[in-house]
Amino acid sequence: MVTFIKLAWRNLWRNRRRTLITILAIVFAVVLAVLMKAINMGSYELMIDRMVSFSTGYVQVQDYRFDDEPSLDNTFYYDESLRNRILDSDHRIAEAAPRIETFMLAANEVATRGTMVLGVNPGLEHQFNEIKNYVSEGTFFDIGQNTAVIGRGLANRLELSVGDTLALIGQGRFGMSASGLFEISGLIDHPVIDMNNSIVYLPLDAAQELLSAEGYVTSVVVMIANERHTNAVASAIRGNLNDDELVVYTWPELLPEILDLMEMDLAVPRLLTVVLYIVIGFGFFGTILTMTMERLREFGVLLSVGMKRRYLSVVLFVETVLISSIGVAAGIILSYLILILIDPITLTGDAAQAVVDLGYDPIIPMSFAADQFYTQGLFVFFIAMVVFLFPLLKIKNLNILEAARS
Amino acid sequence: MAIIKTQDLSKVYNPDTIPVHALRDVNISFEEGEFTAVRGPSGSGKTTLLNMLGGLDKPTGGSVWINGEDISAMKDSDRIDFRLKNIGFVFQHYNLIPVFTARENVSFIMLLQKRDKKEIQKRADELLDQVGLGERKDARPVQLSGGQQQRVAVARALASEPKFILADEPTANLDTKAAMNLLDIMERMNKEENVTFIFSTHDQRVIDRARRVVTMVDGAIHKDEVKEVTQAG
Ligand SMILES: Nc1ncnc2c1ncn2[C@@H]1O[C@H](COP(=O)(O)OP(=O)(O)O)[C@@H](O)[C@H]1O
Ligand SMILES: [Mg+2]
């Protein structure tokens, strides 16, 4: 085997320039494909990351009716024993944070606004998404305090600031009327734009009391150490709860719109990648084709002296694999370096302003997700295997004498 | 017993279009230790005969027996294996693997035979010394002259310890000095190690060195003469 690899390796460098051009073409394709994907995925990863940490969690426990009808009537009772049952389901669970969530109207003297009221445990919520770091004015409430923290967008619209009083009007559990006054202790620059314009954070027990739902929550978000374990943890919780009334969702189930949008956005770069690889594939094929054809006589001699066709195929296979894997490895390293260099792309000038006006950060983060690298490797390897069919067939059907005469 | 024997060996190229009768009912046998030249004008069937003896092509009639085995009846993959074990080849040109050094070219065939690594190294070095290339073991074919390349080819053919060596016009591309030098080496191997050589040629100087001369005309054996053994050593 060592000899075959040696033979293949030296054959590669018989026509140094051709081999280098082929490798460079593969490097080019891999780099382009990775960059396209990384730029597209980066923004989505950031968006998903924020949605997951501020809204859904990786895994979430709900009442089974809540998804169809997100009303306070479809809440569930959450106590220490349920909390323990969730936490004990799987050792990869870091924490569980209860929330009660509903729509209410917020008012000042001049206007009313629809808001999303979110009752949270401040300590757990902070562990989950470091919410306190986003407070830009005043402070986040602590346990036992009875104040509100609202999104800066909402504050602007209602012309409220720290120290002012917020009036909330709405409906509690089972149609009970709910209204209350809360002092605003802090303003938050919420990273999720929609939430910045509508969020009102209240302490969990204050919210429960306001909504006549003492002890009840709309969801429990589960924190896990690594996103990879989402599905495993979700099914572990399902198994451990074993409760017909409670359902466990994972984040893709809770954010289907974002994922659909992402798929649509990725369609064009995907198509481009395929086209790119087809072009590169033909170039690769051309190289392997000439590498095979110009050596037919040599193959004839090798078969004459007793080299099995199988071994000859092995040598050509190694040549194909060497070219493609050198190309892929160099392409991955190069694209990784480029990503490190450009990440994140900071927009400037008009483009930046336009993005800020839309409510987004003027930066495009790069995705470093491992899969986009090895997918390219698999892709090129697949192409290499298709390309290799040619020499394989050629050797299988090679007539020794015809080869020797060519 | 003859190591090679043909029985009514025939070869017709293009049987369906314009048939070319390259071999017509050839019956010939070769003994161990022979040093035989196959001569004849261009197109007389020398190459075709050697290819048949080496199992590189299939006859259209008759058979080739080597050591009592009918090689024309073998499967393709078995024949490749058989060649590796029994037959050494020297071709007119493009004999060697261009990316391998002289030593690697000689070793390669023994690697295919899955021999012991140390033994391979030792034998490759010995053989290259014997063909007078002790100093050029690490040279690649392009760095060697035509005569040197053919000597490496002879060393490679010997490496596998074959029953016999077939050489199709081994000197055709060589100048007189290189040709005689190659013949010296082949002759010495034949005398000292009893290696059987069958080579085709139309070069009179080479024919003069053979001990048996088979003359072919138009696909048939026209004459088959064994010379008087001159003198030893
Ligand atoms: N592959 C082939 N197809 C058709 N005719 C062939 C082929 N190989 C050889 N011949 C013909 O067979 C005859 C014998 O050829 P060959 O054995 O090469 O003779 P030599 O080696 O003595 O010159 C010639 O007439 C030649 O043209
Ligand atoms: Mg010939």
Side-chain angles (χ1 to χ4, degrees):
Chain A
M1 197 63 209
V2 179
T3 314
F4 293 159
I5 292 172
K6 188 158 69 178
L7 184 55
W9 176 254
R10 293 204 193 149
N11 276 325
L12 282 195
W13 305 109
R14 262 160 101 163
N15 191 328
R16 207 175 294 258
R17 203 169 55 147
R18 182 175 62 207
T19 303
L20 280 176
I21 288 174
T22 311
I23 289 176
L24 279 179
I26 294 173
V27 170
F28 174 76
V30 169
V31 169
L32 219 60
V34 170
L35 289 188
M36 255 188 318
K37 188 106 187 279
I39 290 173
N40 279 284
M41 283 299 291
S43 314
Y44 278 103
E45 275 173 10
L46 186 68
M47 197 178 342
I48 287 170
D49 191 56
R50 284 178 178 171
M51 289 302 284
V52 165
S53 57
F54 290 100
S55 162
T56 66
Y58 286 115
V59 174
Q60 193 180 111
V61 181
Q62 289 180 359
D63 183 273
Y64 75 105
R65 292 159 303 193
F66 190 78
D67 193 43
D68 283 337
E69 197 196 339
S71 124
L72 287 174
D73 297 348
N74 298 328
T75 48
F76 59 98
Y77 193 73
Y78 180 74
D79 58 6
E80 201 61 25
S81 115
L82 179 55
R83 173 179 158 80
N84 287 336
R85 269 197 293 152
I86 292 174
L87 291 181
D88 292 345
S89 306
D90 194 296
H91 67 276
R92 287 167 292 198
I93 297 174
E95 252 306 344
R99 287 171 177 171
I100 189 164
E101 175 188 332
T102 193
F103 279 95
M104 295 185 86
L105 288 177
N108 64 0
E109 299 86 45
V110 289
T112 43
R113 285 267 164 195
T115 68
M116 189 169 92
V117 173
L118 197 57
V120 298
N121 175 316
L124 291 177
E125 194 69 18
H126 182 71
Q127 267 191 53
F128 193 45
N129 50 30
E130 302 185 328
I131 189 77
K132 291 178 187 175
N133 299 351
Y134 295 89
V135 173
S136 57
E137 216 182 314
T139 53
F140 209 86
F141 48 76
D142 281 323
I143 281 190
Q145 270 184 299
N146 216 358
T147 61
V149 172
I150 71 174
R152 185 172 285 279
L154 179 66
N156 289 343
R157 286 170 188 196
L158 290 173
E159 293 172 10
L160 291 169
S161 55
V162 174
D164 291 348
T165 300
L166 173 75
L168 290 172
I169 308 146
Q171 222 175 33
R173 201 159 172 256
F174 298 127
M176 306 284 278
S177 76
S179 61
L181 296 175
F182 293 89
E183 188 198 329
I184 297 169
S185 67
L187 296 186
I188 188 165
D189 281 333
H190 207 291
V192 179
I193 298 307
D194 285 348
M195 294 176 88
N196 195 43
N197 292 331
S198 65
I199 193 77
V200 174
Y201 282 103
L202 292 179
L204 181 65
D205 44 2
Q208 286 171 330
E209 196 189 317
L210 172 71
L211 299 168
S212 314
E214 280 90 346
Y216 284 84
V217 298
T218 48
S219 64
V220 174
V221 292
V222 178
M223 290 175 239
I224 52 182
N226 193 321
E227 197 242 311
R228 265 187 305 135
H229 304 133
T230 301
N231 287 323
V233 167
S235 47
I237 298 174
R238 257 176 229 126
N240 205 40
L241 288 182
N242 192 21
D243 186 331
D244 291 345
E245 307 257 295
L246 295 178
V247 286
V248 183
Y249 289 117
T250 59
W251 67 268
E253 295 169 319
L254 294 163
L255 294 172
E257 313 84 18
I258 289 193
L259 291 176
D260 287 350
L261 201 66
M262 188 172 92
E263 285 298 312
M264 263 166 54
D265 248 24
L266 283 179
V268 172
R270 274 209 188 113
L271 188 72
L272 282 177
T273 306
V274 169
V275 171
L276 184 68
Y277 275 123
I278 289 175
V279 172
I280 300 297
F282 274 109
F284 193 8
F285 181 73
T287 299
I288 296 297
L289 181 93
T290 35
M291 275 181 76
T292 308
M293 295 310 283
E294 72 192 8
R295 275 153 67 203
L296 284 186
R297 184 195 289 273
E298 197 179 316
F299 294 163
V301 170
L302 287 171
L303 291 176
S304 309
V305 301
M307 184 161 182
K308 289 190 176 69
R309 287 175 201 267
R310 191 157 21 106
Y311 292 160
L312 204 50
S313 309
V314 168
V315 172
L316 274 144
F317 179 76
V318 175
E319 287 173 20
T320 315
V321 168
L322 278 176
I323 291 187
S324 52
S325 48
I326 293 172
V328 169
I332 287 176
I333 293 171
L334 187 62
S335 48
Y336 190 75
L337 293 179
I338 294 176
L339 283 183
I340 290 179
L341 210 69
I342 64 174
D343 175 64
I345 296 177
T346 308
L347 299 175
T348 51
D350 290 349
Q353 198 49 51
V355 173
V356 171
D357 289 346
L358 282 172
Y360 295 100
D361 300 330
I363 56 165
I364 304 174
M366 299 294 118
S367 166
F368 285 85
D371 70 324
Q372 69 199 8
F373 295 105
Y374 68 69
T375 323
Q376 306 312 320
L378 287 178
F379 225 17
V380 173
F381 190 70
F382 173 75
I383 293 172
M385 289 308 92
V386 173
V387 165
F388 175 65
L389 287 179
F390 174 76
L392 189 68
L393 287 175
K394 198 77 207 165
I395 289 173
K396 189 165 171 289
N397 299 319
L398 187 68
N399 177 307
I400 297 179
L401 294 177
E402 274 167 28
R405 230 181 298 119
S406 62
Chain B
M1 193 189 79
I3 51 171
I4 311 174
K5 190 169 155 36
T6 72
Q7 201 172 11
D8 299 332
L9 184 65
S10 309
K11 178 69 183 181
V12 183
Y13 290 110
N14 314 326
D16 303 323
T17 51
I18 312 157
V20 179
H21 293 265
L23 291 179
R24 303 168 193 266
D25 294 329
V26 172
N27 287 292
I28 191 170
S29 58
F30 300 88
E31 305 292 326
E32 198 173 347
E34 279 188 10
F35 198 66
T36 304
V38 178
R39 65 180 292 194
S42 181
S44 58
K46 305 182 293 294
T47 296
T48 305
L49 177 64
L50 258 52
N51 286 343
M52 295 296 156
L53 298 182
L56 296 180
D57 200 1
K58 280 197 165 194
T60 45
S63 48
V64 177
W65 298 76
I66 294 175
N67 266 358
E69 279 192 79
D70 182 357
I71 63 163
S72 15
M74 283 181 189
K75 274 200 317 196
D76 177 74
S77 57
D78 291 341
R79 218 175 15 240
I80 291 180
D81 241 7
F82 187 86
R83 279 202 295 273
L84 179 63
K85 288 199 193 93
N86 298 290
I87 313 174
F89 288 93
V90 179
F91 301 95
Q92 185 178 333
H93 44 204
Y94 290 104
N95 256 311
L96 304 174
I97 303 173
V99 295
F100 273 174
T101 63
R103 186 195 271 116
E104 286 166 339
N105 264 287
V106 175
S107 307
F108 186 65
I109 195 148
M110 294 187 276
L111 283 166
L112 290 178
Q113 290 180 318
K114 301 196 168 73
R115 291 214 230 163
D116 176 70
K117 285 258 156 60
K118 280 211 192 83
E119 187 197 321
I120 291 176
Q121 281 306 318
K122 192 162 153 268
R123 183 161 171 80
D125 284 348
E126 276 171 15
L127 285 167
L128 286 169
D129 288 338
Q130 284 178 33
V131 298
L133 288 173
E135 308 293 308
R136 306 302 317 269
K137 285 173 186 148
D138 293 314
R140 298 231 181 146
V142 284
Q143 298 167 318
L144 297 172
S145 71
Q148 290 172 325
Q149 287 187 37
Q150 285 304 61
R151 283 187 271 154
V152 176
V154 169
R156 182 190 61 188
L158 287 163
S160 60
E161 292 174 358
K163 301 266 176 340
F164 57 93
I165 291 178
L166 296 171
D168 191 13
E169 314 235 12
T171 59
N173 289 354
L174 304 183
D175 59 40
T176 304
K177 191 160 161 264
M180 290 306 115
N181 185 305
L182 189 70
L183 256 291
D184 289 343
I185 288 166
M186 286 165 58
E187 205 166 44
R188 199 174 68 236
M189 295 292 177
N190 173 258
K191 282 191 178 134
E192 290 173 7
E193 321 226 339
N194 202 32
V195 182
T196 311
F197 277 93
I198 301 167
F199 48 93
S200 73
T201 186
H202 51 249
D203 181 341
Q204 192 55 46
R205 296 160 307 179
V206 175
I207 295 165
D208 291 342
R209 308 276 299 258
R211 288 203 304 279
R212 175 181 172 192
V213 179
V214 175
T215 308
M216 292 192 70
V217 176
D218 198 18
I221 309 288
H222 178 68
K223 216 158 63 173
D224 186 350
E225 45 198 338
V226 178
K227 292 188 203 162
E228 297 275 306
V229 179
T230 42
Q231 88 275 356

